[in-house]
Amino acid sequence: MSFKTISVIGLGYIGLPTAAMFASRKIKVIGVDVNKNAVDIINKGQIHIIEPELDIIVHAAVTEGYLKATSKPEPADAFLIAVPTPFKSSELTSDFVPDLSFIEAACKSIATVLKPGDLVILESTSPVGATEKVASWLSEERTDLTFPQQAGHEADVNIAHCPERVLPGHVVRELVANDRVIGGMTARCSERAQELYKAFVEGECVLTNVRTAELAKLTENASRDVSIAFANELSLICDKIGVDVWELIRLANRHPRVNILQPGPGVGGHCIAVDPWFIVSESPRESRLIKTARLVNDSKPTWVIDKVKLAIAELMQQYPSKTTRDISIACYGLTFKPDIDDLRESPAFQIAKNLTEYHSGLIYCVEPNIKELPESLSTAELVNANTALERADVHLMLVDHSEFKSMKVEKEFLIDTKGIWI
Ligand code: SAJ
């Protein structure tokens, strides 16, 4: 392989596993992160995130000397940028627009160590045109080097987009097994990126151009968002007309060409709830369905909170001596999806937080994947499922963790957003 040293910029949920996979193939990897704490933890052979099997791989890579973390970029033959691309509110409309400031900062930092022959890959999920921006930011910083937009396949530095597509919780397996879409700024860029990924990817590396690769990633997540919005919309319709949505979906899915996803408390995570906006912000008039799906999914937490308020009102009607202060609520699950520890962009977490702000009685939270509640939920109490089931008056099932699925729960005041205790 022509790449002796690889540098991964951003050691988060994607960057760290990717760095570890290259290192596990006995390639020297320099991981760069602005978070000093993450750098220190990784250099001890430990990890700062929860992802099955990753700890063992990182530990081996660090102790065998193939992976080291640092806060300052060092020369390498290939640079993979895996930093976040959050969104911010548009100054012109009520929509959201992508924030590329982390990518720009990453470009400025690696520009200082770039040399002829290097390959730069943008892995971060990005709006169409972002990889071309990477190329122009790098060329502004390094006027002594040539880039694909100026020199085509003769460029000193090759640039490609290769979006990550792994499912949190299954990252190690999916990094190796999934097909990769690689979009180079030239055919040469694509081929070099393909050579790099073949170091550990067993799936097919499919080559395309840079804009198609960018839009392919956004399309995958927008497609899932639209499908979940359909399920969430069905759950509202069913609730209104008294039909069990879970049974309905099970029955409809018996049709050979129907495959409806599952409703829930809303769509969370930093991908599916974010990426469709990258399409909407570029093509607002054309992406009506994609935008509506976003709005449907984003409105689900408010609907769930209204259900809790209704349950409290019914409970008080049944027990007129009780005040709202006497009524306790248990929230089962806080993460953005089952069997992970990630609370970021979690509708379940948002609902629990909102309840602590609105409700004067006790709020119990049951979340088997975390050890303590974050500061913003400090008025709630973290308890185990049995305690919550024993003590709370209103029960709110939010995340279908394996632990919860194996329990049998029958409660009068139960709002089950995942349909596992009904
Ligand atoms: N959800 C539902 N109903 C469902 C499935 C999911 O409400 O039937 C909710 C989940 O509870 C969660 C959200 O959707 O809140 C997103 O979860 P997810 O498991 O669908 O996806 P992510 O965000 O963990 O990962 C996605 C994946 N994309 C696709 O499946 C198309 C993953 O492959 C991507 O790599 C990842 O986004 C990413 O990084 O972009």
Side-chain angles (χ1 to χ4, degrees):
M1 198 175 69
S2 60
F3 303 96
K4 300 285 170 256
T5 305
I6 296 169
S7 180
V8 178
I9 318 297
L11 297 173
Y13 281 82
I14 299 300
L16 180 57
T18 304
M21 289 320 292
F22 280 114
S24 73
R25 298 300 186 268
K26 307 213 178 302
I27 300 167
K28 191 179 158 204
V29 181
I30 302 162
V32 185
D33 203 292
V34 289
N35 177 350
K36 175 87 177 58
N37 187 37
V39 167
D40 292 343
I41 292 175
I42 294 164
N43 283 333
K44 283 187 204 143
Q46 295 161 5
I47 60 175
H48 60 299
I49 52 177
I50 291 196
E51 181 58 48
E53 296 169 50
L54 183 63
D55 50 350
I56 301 166
I57 303 175
V58 169
H59 187 261
V62 172
T63 45
E64 287 169 21
Y66 290 106
L67 173 64
K68 76 159 185 180
T70 163
S71 345
K72 230 175 113 229
E74 292 177 19
D77 305 313
F79 294 86
L80 281 85
I81 301 175
V83 296
T85 32
F87 56 10
K88 54 186 182 188
S89 297
S90 158
E91 282 157 22
L92 302 172
T93 66
S94 57
D95 294 351
F96 295 101
V97 293
D99 174 2
L100 300 187
S101 55
F102 294 97
I103 297 181
E104 188 175 358
C107 287
K108 293 206 163 129
S109 71
I110 61 171
T112 55
V113 292
L114 270 189
K115 61 181 185 326
D118 284 354
L119 171 68
V120 176
I121 295 181
L122 179 62
E123 276 223 7
S124 311
T125 304
S126 303
V128 174
T131 313
E132 286 151 358
K133 282 200 175 120
V134 165
S136 79
W137 285 322
L138 292 174
S139 75
E140 277 163 26
E141 296 294 315
R142 291 295 301 269
T143 46
D144 57 319
L145 295 173
T146 59
F147 293 85
Q149 69 274 31
Q150 305 149 330
H153 62 267
E154 300 288 325
D156 288 334
V157 177
N158 288 136
I159 298 178
H161 181 55
C162 182
E164 62 81 12
R165 310 160 93 193
V166 287
L167 197 66
H170 301 269
V171 168
V172 171
R173 180 173 53 78
E174 290 208 352
L175 266 180
V176 175
N178 287 5
D179 292 345
R180 297 297 293 242
V181 173
I182 297 176
M185 284 186 69
T186 63
R188 167 114 185 96
C189 298
S190 299
E191 282 155 18
R192 292 205 69 215
Q194 183 180 36
E195 185 203 343
L196 179 73
Y197 282 103
K198 275 292 167 198
F200 70 82
V201 172
E202 285 170 14
E204 205 180 322
C205 292
V206 190
L207 307 191
T208 180
N209 61 52
V210 75
R211 290 186 154 235
T212 309
E214 287 165 338
L215 191 56
K217 165 68 196 212
L218 303 180
T219 300
E220 290 161 12
N221 282 352
S223 155
R224 196 153 165 89
D225 197 42
V226 171
S227 302
I228 300 169
F230 182 69
N232 275 332
E233 189 162 287
L234 281 178
S235 74
L236 308 193
I237 296 166
C238 286
D239 183 71
K240 187 171 171 199
I241 61 180
V243 167
D244 177 347
V245 69
W246 313 101
E247 187 190 359
L248 175 83
I249 292 174
R250 266 197 307 276
L251 295 177
N253 280 350
R254 284 176 168 255
H255 185 288
R257 284 175 297 283
V258 173
N259 186 14
I260 303 168
L261 293 180
Q262 300 299 307
V267 168
H270 13 280
C271 310
I272 296 197
V274 177
D275 302 354
W277 286 116
F278 293 6
I279 301 178
V280 177
S281 70
E282 280 294 316
S283 311
R285 282 162 63 91
E286 295 75 15
S287 41
R288 286 177 299 159
L289 178 64
I290 296 173
K291 178 170 173 175
T292 303
R294 267 293 63 248
L295 298 178
V296 167
N297 286 333
D298 273 356
S299 65
K300 193 73 191 285
T302 311
W303 184 87
V304 173
I305 290 165
D306 286 346
K307 285 274 155 205
V308 176
K309 289 180 181 169
L310 205 68
I312 294 172
E314 277 170 16
L315 202 145
M316 285 171 71
Q317 215 171 26
Q318 234 180 78
Y319 305 97
S321 61
K322 280 196 187 246
T323 66
T324 43
R325 275 188 79 83
D326 304 322
I327 295 170
S328 56
I329 306 169
C331 298
Y332 300 86
L334 294 175
T335 55
F336 87 83
K337 64 180 205 170
D339 302 328
I340 57 165
D341 71 325
D342 197 343
L343 301 175
R344 294 176 301 167
E345 318 278 354
S346 164
F349 184 85
Q350 206 47 48
I351 290 168
K353 185 167 169 288
N354 198 298
L355 289 174
T356 58
E357 286 155 11
Y358 140 87
H359 182 64
S360 52
L362 271 172
I363 309 273
Y364 298 109
C365 292
V366 185
E367 181 41 81
N369 300 297
I370 61 170
K371 293 198 177 71
E372 56 183 333
L373 289 174
E375 188 58 33
S376 55
L377 264 189
S378 58
T379 55
E381 206 180 309
L382 186 64
V383 295
N384 65 31
N386 287 337
T387 308
L389 285 169
E390 231 170 75
R391 292 191 195 161
D393 301 300
V394 175
H395 301 268
L396 178 56
M397 157 45 59
L398 291 169
V399 187
D400 47 340
H401 290 309
S402 310
E403 287 93 329
F404 298 155
K405 280 206 238 170
S406 58
M407 291 163 53
K408 200 164 159 34
V409 175
E410 278 173 35
K411 291 282 176 190
E412 189 183 356
F413 295 99
L414 168 66
I415 299 132
D416 186 351
T417 69
K418 292 308 298 181
I420 60 170
W421 289 345
I422 293 171

